Amino acid sequence: MARVMLFGPLRDVAGWRERDLPAASITALKALLAAEDSALGLALYGKGVQVAVDQAIVRGDLALSANAEVAFLPPMSGG
Amino acid sequence: MSVILQDAPFDPGALLLTFSRGREETGAIVSFTGIARAEAGRTTTLELEAYSGFTEIEIGRIEAQATARFSLHDVLIVHRTGPIAPGEAIVFVATAAGHRREAFEAADLLMDYLKSRAPFWKKEVGPDGERWIEPSDRDRTDAARWD
């Protein structure tokens, strides 16, 4: 299971902040989320959304280990 | 060098006093305090979200760059998260250096980074509802001065 975390506007779109979901890769995880919530799916592919796995930004697809922490980070606003 | 994120309000004066204590080789200390604005009544609360762990690491990276670039003796960054009321301090940055120019410029660089690129998500809540905030064009051009 991956611990999935949403931040900023993505959390408002989805209506949740953290969930445990079964996914073998980032691509599979995005497909799973998009299949159950098309608005969230669209937002995840939106401009400037970055993905962090275990608190490090990754680009492209990546296999997810069990207990991976996957965070979807919309464009950062600064403080 | 440290980065502290906290939900609780802080006292910028007390932070500066502690930061300044016991320095004999530091010729200059600059501090900056950012305050939440009411925006003429349009904002009753500012909500700031961080990614705990990740946000500290990313800010720490820029803190280390500024320390090397300006030969800083020390840096302290304290940033609020969670709901913040107008008039409350959001951010405190203090830099210590041998001479004033380095301390001023490092504080300036750190604030430009914090205001435009640091991993926070910011929402304004007011009588007309709530909206997510993005960096202004000026925030972005200010930050680009240091690239």
Side-chain angles (χ1 to χ4, degrees):
Chain A
M1 290 292 236
R3 164 64 49 94
V4 182
M5 304 172 81
L6 303 179
F7 288 88
L10 290 176
R11 179 165 44 86
D12 284 355
V13 172
W16 53 271
R17 176 177 170 147
E18 248 183 72
R19 280 173 71 190
D20 291 326
L21 292 167
S25 68
I26 293 173
T27 301
L29 176 60
K30 281 183 167 176
L32 178 69
L33 290 167
E36 72 172 43
D37 182 342
S38 56
L40 177 60
L42 209 59
L44 290 180
Y45 290 99
K47 189 165 171 269
V49 175
Q50 301 186 87
V51 182
V53 175
D54 295 329
Q55 305 216 331
I57 298 281
V58 297
R59 295 183 205 289
D61 199 14
L62 186 76
L64 298 173
S65 61
N67 306 319
E69 181 178 290
V70 183
F72 290 98
L73 311 173
M76 294 154 185
S77 70
Chain B
M1 273 196 7
S2 47
V3 178
I4 298 165
L5 302 185
Q6 61 179 57
D7 283 358
F10 59 79
D11 174 353
L15 292 175
L16 179 58
L17 202 63
T18 307
F19 183 80
S20 305
R21 218 168 256 148
R23 299 191 185 279
E24 296 189 350
E25 298 303 325
T26 290
I29 289 174
V30 165
S31 80
F32 174 88
T33 304
I35 311 281
R37 282 188 306 260
E39 304 285 10
R42 280 183 289 120
T43 304
T44 48
T45 311
L46 207 58
E47 286 181 15
L48 212 59
E49 188 182 8
Y51 179 9
S52 183
F54 178 85
T55 299
E56 288 95 326
I57 290 169
E58 290 298 309
I59 295 173
R61 219 190 291 278
I62 305 301
E63 201 181 46
Q65 285 174 16
T67 298
R69 181 165 171 177
F70 298 106
S71 307
L72 298 180
H73 297 177
D74 202 0
V75 192
L76 172 63
I77 297 173
V78 181
H79 212 298
R80 288 280 300 281
T81 49
I84 300 157
E88 290 183 354
I90 300 185
V91 59
F92 175 86
V93 169
T95 56
H99 301 277
R100 69 180 182 283
R101 184 63 48 214
E102 288 75 16
F104 274 123
E105 291 196 354
D108 201 10
L109 177 153
L110 288 168
M111 274 314 306
D112 284 344
Y113 163 75
L114 287 165
K115 283 296 293 179
S116 62
R117 296 174 182 173
F120 291 104
W121 295 274
K122 184 163 58 176
K123 188 191 259 183
E124 274 180 9
V125 183
D128 301 330
E130 48 182 58
R131 63 187 192 105
W132 291 99
I133 305 297
E134 292 200 0
S136 67
D137 289 342
R138 179 158 183 204
D139 288 336
R140 291 199 175 94
T141 50
D142 281 352
R145 292 185 299 150
W146 308 99
D147 290 342

